[in-house]
Amino acid sequence: MTVARLSISSLNRGPSKKRTVLAGNDPILSGAYESIATVTVGAGGASSVSFTSIPSTYKHLQIRAIGRQNNAANTGNPKIEFNGDTNSNNYALHILYGDGATAAAYGTGAPTVSDVMITAGANIAANIFSAAIIDILDYSNTNKNKTVRSLTGADFNGSGTIRLYSDLWMSTSAISSITLTPNSSASFVQYTHIALYGIR
Amino acid sequence: MPQTYTPIASTTVGTATNSVTFSSIPSTYTDLILVVNGVLTGSGGGRFRVNGDTGTNYSYTRVYGNGSAAASDRNSNQDFAYGSNLTTVVSNGIYHFMNYSNTTTNKTIISRNSASDAMVNAVANLWRSTAAINSITFDTGGYNMTTGFALALYGIKAA
């Protein structure tokens, strides 16, 4: 069976409308999911990527990314920080992950570095990038601390990792800026692509 | 702000089949999302290929839980990408083809999928090709997707 193009009948019986799209959840129709900003790293690399002046008019945010960084390792672990808050006492995280042989879990309360995704590192064959889908829930609510969940991973044809992250930012401030920073003083390399979306 | 998350094509299986192909996928989006949901005639799983590539250019790393333990595995140099553990009980998978039309990078596909009577998975697939993806074939091997099995393809476009 080949589905070459969208037909009216398939639209009519297409997926039901949902209110939110989060990593791994059901999709929604356009109109509630908007592109806010996108960064594609150039030839010079980037020591961090920031989204600023984020409008407060959405319900949730989603970051969709492919990433690679220049540290001498197989993978990197960029962190996420909000509103310029670099105080590790304000972040906590838990991870479930598999490395192809073993499933494991890691968790820590504050203080911690708020790792949120995997990147491919410089020891991996060229032009292989990781992927990440990061959901930031109820980001503009001033009555809640902020919860982040992420599906991220990469396979390198003989190694790799797949991870589920849960991060907590212990602040009730509305999120107006987001910064992703590679670990080990590394930089994101060219073609790293990070896109921010708003969900109504 | 540009609105995005657009249905590209969808189908609901009428006559049982073990293969569905989405072809002529436009290159104008940033990411693709393939959603599958339904029942097979046997518990055999699902898999996919892109651009009709039958070479051993696929590999994956997986973490999963089967109801009694969490585990992880990997397979390299495969001729299919890992899809999901579809079974005779309704199962599903959501596959994110990231930067699918980029002609510089190899293609990473991340997914979550589940079979309520078997297991839950999160998977990272790699297709070792820098070609833009223009077709996706979802295949269930020796078993068929039964009547009512739904597949839908969406495009997300970044600003």
Side-chain angles (χ1 to χ4, degrees):
Chain A
M1 174 190 297
T2 297
V3 184
R5 59 186 174 86
L6 193 62
S7 67
I8 296 297
S9 60
S10 66
L11 267 176
N12 288 340
R13 63 170 185 267
S16 59
K17 295 181 182 178
K18 301 290 183 183
R19 292 188 178 277
T20 65
V21 55
L22 303 177
N25 283 2
D26 293 339
I28 57 171
L29 298 178
S30 60
Y33 187 94
E34 296 182 347
S35 176
I36 298 175
T38 303
V39 172
T40 303
V41 176
S47 58
S48 65
V49 168
S50 291
F51 298 99
T52 60
S53 302
I54 298 170
S56 62
T57 51
Y58 301 99
K59 185 64 173 176
H60 310 296
L61 300 174
Q62 184 174 86
I63 293 172
R64 304 180 66 89
I66 62 168
R68 187 177 172 107
Q69 59 187 66
N70 62 358
N71 56 307
N74 285 354
T75 58
N77 304 284
K79 64 180 177 180
I80 191 167
E81 291 171 322
F82 301 104
N83 294 7
D85 184 1
T86 59
N87 187 346
S88 61
N89 288 308
N90 295 328
Y91 297 92
L93 76 101
H94 283 76
I95 313 169
L96 172 66
Y97 63 98
D99 64 1
T102 305
Y106 170 79
T108 179
T112 188
V113 176
S114 48
D115 296 343
V116 76
M117 65 181 284
I118 286 292
T119 52
N123 290 356
I124 295 301
N127 299 322
I128 295 179
F129 285 65
S130 71
I133 302 172
I134 303 166
D135 294 311
I136 304 161
L137 307 176
D138 229 354
Y139 74 104
S140 63
N141 189 310
T142 56
N143 296 306
K144 301 177 182 176
N145 292 308
K146 305 305 179 288
T147 299
V148 178
R149 69 174 209 175
S150 169
L151 170 64
T152 182
D155 184 273
F156 307 129
N157 195 39
S159 63
T161 182
I162 180 72
R163 300 189 174 196
L164 300 170
Y165 281 87
S166 176
D167 289 77
L168 172 67
W169 182 44
M170 288 174 279
S171 171
T172 57
S173 298
I175 291 174
S176 59
S177 72
I178 301 170
T179 298
L180 295 169
T181 306
N183 62 303
S184 302
S185 301
S187 293
F188 291 119
V189 302
Q190 186 179 22
Y191 306 119
T192 292
H193 183 273
I194 304 174
L196 177 67
Y197 299 86
I199 302 167
R200 297 191 187 282
Chain B
M1 310 290 181
Q3 297 179 356
T4 185
Y5 210 120
T6 305
I8 297 174
S10 65
T11 187
T12 302
V13 170
T15 302
T17 181
N18 70 345
S19 180
V20 171
T21 297
F22 292 91
S23 60
S24 303
I25 298 171
S27 62
T28 50
Y29 299 99
T30 304
D31 303 329
L32 298 174
I33 299 177
L34 174 65
V35 181
V36 305
N37 185 69
V39 176
L40 298 192
T41 55
S43 296
R47 55 193 186 177
F48 59 91
R49 286 177 170 153
V50 296
N51 290 15
D53 183 1
T54 59
T56 55
N57 298 315
Y58 306 89
S59 55
Y60 71 85
T61 299
R62 178 175 69 136
V63 65
Y64 63 95
N66 61 9
S68 59
S72 181
D73 63 1
R74 155 181 305 119
N75 271 298
S76 304
N77 300 310
Q78 303 292 292
D79 60 357
F80 274 99
Y82 183 92
S84 58
N85 285 76
L86 301 175
T87 68
T88 56
V89 176
V90 64
S91 312
N92 61 70
I94 301 178
Y95 310 92
H96 302 265
F97 297 76
M98 306 295 286
N99 280 55
Y100 75 103
S101 62
N102 184 322
T103 56
T104 300
T105 61
N106 293 280
K107 303 306 180 286
T108 296
I109 303 105
I110 53 176
S111 65
R112 284 181 58 187
N113 44 81
S114 60
S116 55
D117 65 334
M119 66 175 61
V120 59
N121 295 304
V123 185
N125 272 289
L126 174 69
W127 180 47
R128 296 190 312 282
S129 171
T130 58
I133 293 174
N134 55 48
S135 75
I136 300 169
T137 297
F138 191 82
D139 176 285
T140 51
Y143 301 103
N144 283 336
M145 293 171 260
T146 61
T147 300
F149 197 104
L151 304 95
L153 185 67
Y154 302 86
I156 292 181
K157 185 168 179 59

